[in-house]
Amino acid sequence: MKSLNENLKNLNIKGLFKHPRLKMLDEFHRRINAERKAVDMKELPMRAVAIKTSHLSIEDLAYLLKRCSQSSNFSRCFFGSLKIK
């Protein structure tokens, strides 16, 4: 059995992003913050995006990512789609 120290030294960060949910959250985070930087706004942390989308299934996240990617304003489409009417 490997010790905890050996496991931490050999930690593969890219291996953590194999789950589709994490890949989509990373894409949302990157695109939203790119638009926010362009307008001189403060960046959102990854956990804010994760909390906003925590109630969505993986299929719903994929649909939301596709819909936001086709929109002219990614972050407006993202936050507007999550609003409850």
Side-chain angles (χ1 to χ4, degrees):
M1 178 175 237
K2 292 182 180 181
S3 69
L4 181 61
N5 192 24
E6 290 175 20
N7 286 332
L8 289 175
K9 285 181 183 177
N10 297 329
L11 183 65
N12 183 6
I13 298 298
K14 293 291 183 185
L16 293 175
F17 289 110
K18 287 185 178 178
H19 196 275
R21 182 175 194 84
L22 293 176
K23 287 181 183 180
M24 287 185 267
L25 285 177
D26 186 47
E27 182 68 20
F28 283 124
H29 179 253
R30 188 179 58 78
R31 302 262 314 257
I32 289 171
N33 282 334
E35 287 186 3
R36 290 176 69 92
K37 266 188 209 174
V39 188
D40 293 330
M41 292 176 73
K42 188 175 145 184
E43 289 187 18
L44 282 179
M46 174 71 97
R47 69 178 173 261
V49 178
I51 290 170
K52 289 272 189 195
T53 59
S54 64
H55 65 284
L56 298 175
S57 67
I58 294 175
E59 293 83 20
D60 292 340
L61 272 179
Y63 172 76
L64 181 62
L65 182 60
K66 182 179 179 182
R67 184 172 174 204
C68 290
S69 296
Q70 293 172 350
S71 174
S72 61
N73 190 335
F74 188 90
S75 58
R76 180 176 286 172
C77 180
F78 175 77
F79 289 110
S81 297
L82 293 177
K83 286 186 178 178
I84 298 172
K85 294 181 182 179

